[in-house]
Short mmCIF file of all heavy atoms in Angstrom, two decimals:
data_model
loop_
_atom_site.label_atom_id
_atom_site.label_comp_id
_atom_site.label_asym_id
_atom_site.label_seq_id
_atom_site.Cartn_x
_atom_site.Cartn_y
_atom_site.Cartn_z
N TRP A 189 5.16 -9.02 0.65
CA TRP A 189 5.98 -10.22 0.64
C TRP A 189 7.00 -10.09 -0.49
O TRP A 189 6.64 -9.77 -1.61
CB TRP A 189 5.13 -11.46 0.36
CG TRP A 189 4.43 -11.93 1.58
CD1 TRP A 189 3.19 -11.55 1.99
CD2 TRP A 189 4.91 -12.82 2.56
NE1 TRP A 189 2.88 -12.16 3.15
CE2 TRP A 189 3.91 -12.95 3.53
CE3 TRP A 189 6.09 -13.53 2.72
CZ2 TRP A 189 4.06 -13.76 4.63
CZ3 TRP A 189 6.23 -14.34 3.82
CH2 TRP A 189 5.23 -14.44 4.76
N ALA A 274 4.93 -25.37 13.49
CA ALA A 274 3.77 -24.49 13.70
C ALA A 274 3.43 -23.77 12.40
O ALA A 274 2.25 -23.59 12.07
CB ALA A 274 4.05 -23.50 14.82
N PHE A 275 4.45 -23.36 11.63
CA PHE A 275 4.25 -22.73 10.33
C PHE A 275 3.51 -23.70 9.40
O PHE A 275 2.54 -23.32 8.74
CB PHE A 275 5.62 -22.34 9.75
CG PHE A 275 5.58 -21.78 8.36
CD1 PHE A 275 5.28 -20.44 8.14
CD2 PHE A 275 5.88 -22.59 7.26
CE1 PHE A 275 5.27 -19.91 6.85
CE2 PHE A 275 5.87 -22.07 5.98
CZ PHE A 275 5.57 -20.73 5.77
N TYR A 278 -0.14 -24.00 10.38
CA TYR A 278 -0.96 -22.89 9.86
C TYR A 278 -1.42 -23.20 8.44
O TYR A 278 -2.59 -23.01 8.09
CB TYR A 278 -0.18 -21.57 9.86
CG TYR A 278 -0.30 -20.75 11.11
CD1 TYR A 278 0.79 -20.57 11.95
CD2 TYR A 278 -1.49 -20.11 11.46
CE1 TYR A 278 0.70 -19.79 13.09
CE2 TYR A 278 -1.59 -19.33 12.60
CZ TYR A 278 -0.50 -19.18 13.41
OH TYR A 278 -0.59 -18.42 14.54
N ASP A 279 -0.50 -23.66 7.60
CA ASP A 279 -0.84 -23.97 6.21
C ASP A 279 -1.89 -25.06 6.14
O ASP A 279 -2.86 -24.96 5.37
CB ASP A 279 0.42 -24.36 5.43
CG ASP A 279 0.13 -24.58 3.95
OD1 ASP A 279 -0.39 -23.65 3.30
OD2 ASP A 279 0.43 -25.68 3.45
N VAL A 282 -5.25 -23.66 7.10
CA VAL A 282 -5.80 -22.82 6.03
C VAL A 282 -6.36 -23.70 4.92
O VAL A 282 -7.47 -23.45 4.43
CB VAL A 282 -4.74 -21.82 5.51
CG1 VAL A 282 -5.15 -21.21 4.17
CG2 VAL A 282 -4.51 -20.73 6.54
N ASN A 310 -8.67 -15.47 9.96
CA ASN A 310 -7.89 -15.50 11.20
C ASN A 310 -6.66 -16.39 11.06
O ASN A 310 -5.59 -16.06 11.60
CB ASN A 310 -8.76 -15.97 12.37
CG ASN A 310 -9.81 -14.95 12.76
OD1 ASN A 310 -9.76 -13.79 12.34
ND2 ASN A 310 -10.78 -15.37 13.54
N GLY A 311 -6.78 -17.49 10.34
CA GLY A 311 -5.62 -18.36 10.12
C GLY A 311 -4.55 -17.66 9.29
O GLY A 311 -3.36 -17.72 9.61
N CYS A 312 -4.97 -16.98 8.24
CA CYS A 312 -4.02 -16.24 7.40
C CYS A 312 -3.31 -15.16 8.21
O CYS A 312 -2.09 -15.05 8.20
CB CYS A 312 -4.73 -15.61 6.21
SG CYS A 312 -5.38 -16.79 5.00
N MET A 313 -4.10 -14.37 8.92
CA MET A 313 -3.52 -13.26 9.67
C MET A 313 -2.67 -13.75 10.84
O MET A 313 -1.66 -13.13 11.18
CB MET A 313 -4.62 -12.31 10.15
CG MET A 313 -5.33 -11.58 9.02
SD MET A 313 -4.21 -10.80 7.81
CE MET A 313 -3.34 -9.65 8.84
N GLY A 314 -3.03 -14.86 11.44
CA GLY A 314 -2.22 -15.42 12.51
C GLY A 314 -0.84 -15.81 12.02
O GLY A 314 0.18 -15.53 12.68
N CYS A 315 -0.78 -16.43 10.87
CA CYS A 315 0.51 -16.81 10.27
C CYS A 315 1.32 -15.58 9.92
O CYS A 315 2.51 -15.51 10.20
CB CYS A 315 0.27 -17.70 9.05
SG CYS A 315 1.77 -18.46 8.40
N HIS A 316 0.67 -14.60 9.31
CA HIS A 316 1.38 -13.37 8.94
C HIS A 316 1.95 -12.69 10.18
O HIS A 316 3.10 -12.25 10.18
CB HIS A 316 0.46 -12.40 8.21
CG HIS A 316 -0.03 -12.92 6.91
ND1 HIS A 316 -0.96 -12.26 6.16
CD2 HIS A 316 0.27 -14.04 6.22
CE1 HIS A 316 -1.20 -12.97 5.06
NE2 HIS A 316 -0.47 -14.05 5.09
N THR A 317 1.13 -12.59 11.22
CA THR A 317 1.57 -11.93 12.44
C THR A 317 2.76 -12.66 13.06
O THR A 317 3.72 -12.05 13.52
CB THR A 317 0.40 -11.88 13.46
OG1 THR A 317 -0.67 -11.15 12.87
CG2 THR A 317 0.82 -11.22 14.75
N ALA A 318 2.72 -13.97 13.03
CA ALA A 318 3.77 -14.77 13.65
C ALA A 318 5.06 -14.80 12.83
O ALA A 318 6.15 -14.82 13.41
CB ALA A 318 3.27 -16.20 13.88
N TYR A 319 4.97 -14.79 11.49
CA TYR A 319 6.16 -15.12 10.69
C TYR A 319 6.57 -14.12 9.62
O TYR A 319 7.72 -14.15 9.18
CB TYR A 319 5.96 -16.49 10.03
CG TYR A 319 5.65 -17.56 11.03
CD1 TYR A 319 4.43 -18.20 11.04
CD2 TYR A 319 6.59 -17.91 12.00
CE1 TYR A 319 4.14 -19.18 11.98
CE2 TYR A 319 6.30 -18.88 12.95
CZ TYR A 319 5.08 -19.51 12.92
OH TYR A 319 4.80 -20.46 13.86
N ARG A 320 5.70 -13.28 9.15
CA ARG A 320 6.03 -12.42 8.00
C ARG A 320 7.30 -11.60 8.22
O ARG A 320 8.19 -11.59 7.37
CB ARG A 320 4.87 -11.52 7.63
CG ARG A 320 5.18 -10.63 6.43
CD ARG A 320 4.03 -9.80 5.92
NE ARG A 320 3.12 -9.38 6.95
CZ ARG A 320 1.83 -9.10 6.74
NH1 ARG A 320 1.33 -9.19 5.54
NH2 ARG A 320 1.05 -8.73 7.72
#
Side-chain angles (χ1 to χ4, degrees):
W189 279 91
F275 175 82
Y278 270 112
D279 184 56
V282 165
N310 290 346
C312 292
M313 293 311 299
C315 190
H316 296 174
T317 300
Y319 304 115
R320 180 174 33 206

